[in-house]
Amino acid sequence: MSNRSNGTRGGRGGTADGGRLRAVAAALAAAGLALAGCSSSPAHPVSASSDARPPLTIGISLSLTGDFSDSGKSAQRGYQLWARTVNAAGGVLGRKVVLDVVDDTSSPTQVVTNYQNLITKNHVDLVFGPFSSLLTVPASQVAKRYGYAFLEPAGGGPAVFSQHLHNLFFVQPAPVVQQGDVFADYILSLPSSQRPTTAAYPALDDPFASPIAAEVRSRLQAAGIRTVYQQIYPAEATDLSPVVSAMAAKKPDLVVAGTQSADAYALVKAMVQLKWAPKLLYLSNGANDPLNFPKNVGAGEVDGVFSSGDWFPTATTSGNTAFVAAYTAAYGGTGASIDSTSAEAYSCGQLVQEVAAKMGKVDNATLISTLHSGSWPTLEGNLSWNDDGAANASYVLVQWIGGKLLPVFPADRAQTAPVLGKLPWSG
Amino acid sequence: MHETIQAVILGLLTGGVYALMASGQTLIFGVLKVVNLAQGALVILAAYLSSSLFDAFGIDPFLTVLLVAPAMFLLGTAVQWCLLRPLHRSDAPQLSLLVTFAVALGIEGVLTLVYKSDYRSIQPGYVNRSWTVAGYQVGEVRLAACLLSLATLGALALLLGRTRFGRAVRATVQNPTAARLLGVESGRVAALGFGLGAATAAAAGAVYGMVYSFNPGSHYDLISRLLSIVVLGGLGSLGGTVIAALAMGVVSALVGALVSPVWSDFSFFVVLLAVLLVRPGGLFGARLRGAL
């Protein structure tokens, strides 16, 4: 989900989450690196048939310590799970996959050094991307310099695509700023009698939140839905009751909020406490977390809330059922506890497998030329890319229904129809 | 008008929560002349402990204060005794900033290792309930926080004003050398004072965890607000802290609701700067400093 693609600090859009841990994390960096080293190739089973051919080495720099370490480790789990799965099936074209994972400590400087070393010293065959747009931008330049394909799971910010890199492939359905488009599509698909007439757009001051609300606003305004409230709140604002109070006074039918996680929770809690609910509520992030949203706002307050995202455990996309089963078997938990970053990373591996199967070879030039044509099934849906590496698909609209987060739009990826009912606290 | 009055109510209630959190900060400064940069982290630590007790045993968050406060008291006393007491007297005010910041980072690191960095909040059944009074919404937990804040501050006032320990604290605050000459064990008083300040974080943490979502990094935003409140109130003044916290809450809520949330926090700092220009010691600093 796009908050995890955040190039700033995550959560409250870059306030302090996880953050500024470098002093503490530095002490753990060595251990993290050791773990990363241990966790690559030796742990993976090797099939007898794959021993005869040289391994396929894939270099990856990940944030195993520092600000993005939680998400970095999620990506690592996804990559490792794919490698383990493909090796158990005989590898890629008979070549055992070996992951060369190094820690970038969430630093955009270190990530450059890492990819430079992976390519020029370790001579890896392929590279996969790091976590966050912040690190993807400099890392993709290194890959470009050496002619490497750059399949990246978590760099969806505008800065990534404005580089116009032909070797880059963002393995999510669309750039992050388009995350709310699917909600606008849904609203505009409603018959005029059901369509809201007024809307409010509160948004977090964050490059991965406010542009989403702005994009939806421009489309809904153009369709005649009047904007009655529009404000950006700073990342430091922990109490959003005044925002909700002011918004409620304008009585909008619809609220489209550009959010990350904590501010999404704060908005809902404030609405509940002020006993005010719009007819429709869309939160770009936060509400798309099946585990933490009900924990933070109360399980009884979630029904009816819309959000959107790139991957969900119940998705019917290619290989998803097997992925969820393998993930929970390997790491425990349930589908709901899988961070979408793991699915995004796993999907990078799926693409390599598919290109290899189709072309009978796997190298960087083949990956770049082949992925630029056709559509490729992954956990993230069927992906194709424009010249800048942005995928051309759509996010999935989800809604909390009966205490579950379910895909509801577009129809081809929906598990059920959206429910137009009152929010639980509206009385 | 309705919007304005509702914003004032929200601001007062939010201010009450912050008064509770800042009371420990001002107590520690009053006793030790230490700007405790770990106070926000102590509040977050208490929020996690309260959350764990609620999740694991179903203990009401307000009741968890009875269990968490002694633990925080011991932690605070240990921090003062082990880390702050050895500092050389002439360098103590400066070095204590580094030491308490290190403590904050340590707490954040441990919390991240144990709980990860996901946001969480404490969700008892009543957490989102509010009363409707003349058409205005009054959050139950926030009101309870205000009352708890007043109760905590009242208990502190009684402790400081009516007990032998309190007299020792006040004597130490007013004149450490004279207090020592009169037999006050200033080292012990300092440790207990720091422990007491840390213990107030227990109540603050339980309330904070119910009102806001938090993660291990939440203390950074918190500490900047707490320091601002303590400075505005007058360093070391409990009464001033309460008034400053309420002022912060009301000003921020009014600006957030009526002008723009972008200027909400900034507006409080404008007030802070304006007050400091006129009264460099803060609202009650000159008159009450040393008296707590």
Side-chain angles (χ1 to χ4, degrees):
Chain A
M1 296 167 196
S2 67
N3 61 328
R4 293 171 183 127
S5 308
N6 196 339
T8 65
R9 290 185 296 271
R12 298 244 331 121
T15 53
D17 333 11
R20 303 178 190 115
L21 257 176
R22 289 192 188 89
V24 177
L28 302 171
L33 281 167
L35 281 173
C38 293
S39 63
S40 45
S41 56
H44 303 313
V46 183
S47 71
S49 64
S50 67
D51 285 343
R53 307 195 62 186
L56 179 70
T57 312
I58 302 175
I60 313 166
S61 175
L62 285 173
S63 304
L64 302 175
T65 55
D67 288 358
F68 309 143
S69 59
D70 280 354
S71 298
K73 287 171 186 166
S74 293
Q76 186 185 27
R77 284 194 289 273
Y79 285 135
Q80 285 179 336
L81 186 65
W82 169 73
R84 207 173 299 161
T85 305
V86 75
N87 283 339
V92 174
L93 301 177
R95 296 171 68 183
K96 175 193 167 194
V97 171
V98 174
L99 301 183
D100 191 347
V101 179
V102 286
D103 182 14
D104 54 42
T105 68
S106 308
S107 156
T109 309
Q110 186 61 42
V111 79
V112 170
T113 306
N114 286 354
Y115 280 102
Q116 191 89 25
N117 287 341
L118 286 167
I119 293 170
T120 61
K121 290 186 179 172
N122 298 12
H123 302 292
V124 296
D125 297 305
L126 307 173
V127 291
F128 284 162
F131 179 83
S132 86
S133 298
L134 184 70
L135 303 194
T136 295
V137 169
S140 58
Q141 290 289 348
V142 178
K144 170 67 177 172
R145 192 179 312 145
Y146 294 99
Y148 274 61
F150 201 68
L151 279 68
E152 56 96 356
V160 173
F161 308 112
S162 63
Q163 301 178 104
H164 308 298
L165 295 182
H166 190 65
N167 65 317
L168 184 143
F169 300 91
F170 177 47
V171 188
Q172 287 191 39
V176 171
V177 293
Q178 294 172 19
Q179 190 185 336
D181 285 5
V182 67
F183 182 69
D185 291 341
Y186 166 64
I187 292 296
L188 299 179
S189 75
L190 292 172
S192 56
S193 60
Q194 292 181 351
R195 227 185 250 185
T197 58
T198 55
Y201 302 91
L204 175 68
D205 186 9
D206 181 289
F208 294 87
S210 55
I212 297 172
E215 182 97 358
V216 177
R217 188 182 73 245
S218 68
R219 291 190 59 196
L220 298 189
Q221 268 186 179
I225 297 174
R226 193 162 54 87
T227 299
V228 295
Y229 180 90
Q230 173 195 341
Q231 284 288 356
I232 288 179
Y233 48 85
E236 298 76 31
T238 45
D239 187 4
L240 296 178
S241 301
V243 171
V244 172
S245 175
M247 195 161 56
K250 308 291 184 190
K251 297 184 171 61
D253 292 338
L254 163 69
V255 171
V256 174
T259 54
Q260 290 288 0
S261 49
D263 60 314
Y265 310 148
L267 275 176
V268 173
K269 289 175 82 158
M271 285 184 194
V272 176
Q273 287 173 18
L274 290 172
K275 295 180 179 166
W276 175 78
K279 290 177 185 166
L280 289 158
L281 173 62
Y282 169 83
L283 305 168
S284 62
N285 279 302
N288 54 11
D289 185 332
L291 206 58
N292 289 312
F293 186 58
K295 272 187 189 174
N296 277 275
V297 305
E301 314 292 2
V302 298
D303 275 358
V305 177
F306 286 96
S307 187
S308 54
D310 61 304
W311 174 87
F312 296 94
T314 54
T316 54
T317 49
S318 173
N320 195 50
T321 308
F323 165 75
V324 172
Y327 186 100
T328 50
Y331 304 114
T334 64
S337 59
I338 301 174
D339 186 331
S340 62
T341 306
S342 297
E344 293 149 12
Y346 189 98
S347 298
C348 293
Q350 282 183 302
L351 290 168
V352 168
Q353 254 180 294
E354 289 163 20
V355 171
K358 180 177 180 182
M359 305 303 292
K361 56 182 179 177
V362 57
D363 57 69
N364 287 289
T366 304
L367 276 171
I368 294 169
S369 61
T370 310
L371 287 175
H372 271 298
S373 61
S375 174
W376 300 88
T378 69
L379 303 182
E380 299 283 307
N382 295 334
L383 302 183
S384 59
W385 292 268
N386 66 16
D387 284 343
D388 299 333
N392 297 320
S394 157
Y395 282 82
V396 179
L397 182 66
V398 287
Q399 187 182 22
W400 286 89
I401 299 171
K404 290 181 179 171
L405 188 62
L406 298 173
V408 293
F409 193 86
D412 62 336
R413 295 188 63 183
Q415 288 180 4
T416 185
V419 175
L420 289 174
K422 286 183 174 179
L423 291 163
W425 63 91
S426 61
Chain B
M1 192 53 158
H2 182 278
E3 206 177 333
T4 306
I5 294 173
Q6 180 68 69
V8 170
I9 293 170
L10 289 170
L12 288 172
L13 295 174
T14 303
V17 176
Y18 276 93
L20 184 57
M21 290 190 278
S23 58
Q25 179 84 327
T26 204
L27 177 68
I28 288 170
F29 183 85
V31 176
L32 299 172
K33 296 292 181 281
V34 164
V35 176
N36 177 22
L37 295 180
Q39 189 69 13
L42 290 170
V43 170
I44 299 302
L45 170 62
Y48 272 104
L49 293 175
S50 183
S51 170
S52 293
L53 288 168
F54 174 71
D55 291 343
F57 306 109
I59 303 173
D60 185 275
F62 284 109
L63 293 178
T64 62
V65 175
L66 300 174
L67 297 171
V68 176
M72 299 300 290
F73 177 80
L74 290 175
L75 177 64
T77 305
V79 165
Q80 200 284 332
W81 194 258
C82 299
L83 301 177
L84 293 173
R85 188 177 61 95
L87 298 179
H88 192 275
R89 182 168 295 278
S90 60
D91 298 330
Q94 294 82 17
L95 290 178
S96 63
L97 283 172
L98 291 176
V99 169
T100 55
F101 187 57
V103 170
L105 288 177
I107 291 172
E108 181 188 345
V110 170
L111 289 176
T112 304
L113 286 174
V114 174
Y115 294 100
K116 310 298 177 197
S117 60
D118 282 340
Y119 280 93
R120 63 161 63 193
S121 67
I122 309 171
Q123 292 283 327
Y126 53 80
V127 71
N128 286 330
R129 285 209 301 252
S130 57
W131 287 298
T132 304
V133 180
Y136 299 101
Q137 305 303 324
V138 181
E140 288 184 21
V141 168
R142 290 180 194 230
L143 185 62
C146 283
L147 297 176
L148 187 61
S149 178
L150 290 176
T152 304
L153 295 172
L156 280 176
L158 279 177
L159 182 73
L160 295 169
R162 301 289 175 86
T163 66
R164 187 179 170 79
F165 169 70
R167 280 197 295 278
V169 168
R170 284 185 292 136
T172 306
V173 169
Q174 286 167 13
N175 192 330
T177 307
R180 272 198 303 279
L181 288 170
L182 290 170
V184 172
E185 292 181 53
S186 58
R188 197 168 61 117
V189 167
L192 294 176
F194 200 100
L196 204 57
T200 62
V207 170
Y208 188 88
M210 284 188 278
V211 175
Y212 304 112
S213 293
F214 58 94
N215 76 357
S218 298
H219 69 101
Y220 294 106
D221 288 335
L222 201 49
I223 193 62
S224 63
R225 284 194 176 88
L226 297 188
L227 287 174
S228 307
I229 289 168
V230 169
V231 170
L232 179 62
L235 287 162
S237 165
L238 276 176
T241 296
V242 175
I243 291 171
L246 295 176
M248 183 210 74
V250 171
V251 169
S252 298
L254 277 174
V255 174
L258 304 180
V259 183
S260 165
V262 171
W263 301 108
S264 176
D265 283 354
F266 181 71
S267 60
F268 170 69
F269 288 100
V270 171
V271 172
L272 175 65
L273 289 172
V275 169
L276 291 182
L277 281 174
V278 181
R279 292 180 65 88
L283 287 173
F284 294 91
R287 186 156 51 88
L288 293 179
R289 185 183 297 175
L292 281 171

